Amino acid sequence: MENETNKEAKKGWGGHREGSGRKHDGHGKYYGFNSRPEVERIIEALPGGKTSFINEAILFYAKSKGII
């Protein structure tokens, strides 16, 4: 009887719910790297998100070098 009560209490909780969870913004692969001290100072001085700065910097550099 105790098991039935526990099952009833859990009914409707957990599991997949449509629209729940983090929203994906088209992110790509995760990369970790070791920066040089001068790069670390620049990144640490940034207000807010560092990911968007790094992405924009790489895209700018790739365009300036004719990679993309």
Side-chain angles (χ1 to χ4, degrees), residues 15-36:
H16 176 75
R17 294 182 318 279
E18 191 66 35
S20 66
R22 294 184 181 191
K23 306 302 180 243
H24 297 285
D25 59 352
H27 61 82
K29 184 176 178 181
Y30 171 82
Y31 289 94
F33 70 100
N34 295 321
S35 65
R36 292 185 272 173

Side-chain angles (χ1 to χ4, degrees), residues 33-45 53-54:
F33 70 100
N34 295 321
S35 65
R36 292 185 272 173
E38 60 269 25
V39 173
E40 178 186 1
R41 286 191 292 276
I42 294 167
I43 292 174
E44 291 301 318
F53 178 85
I54 294 168

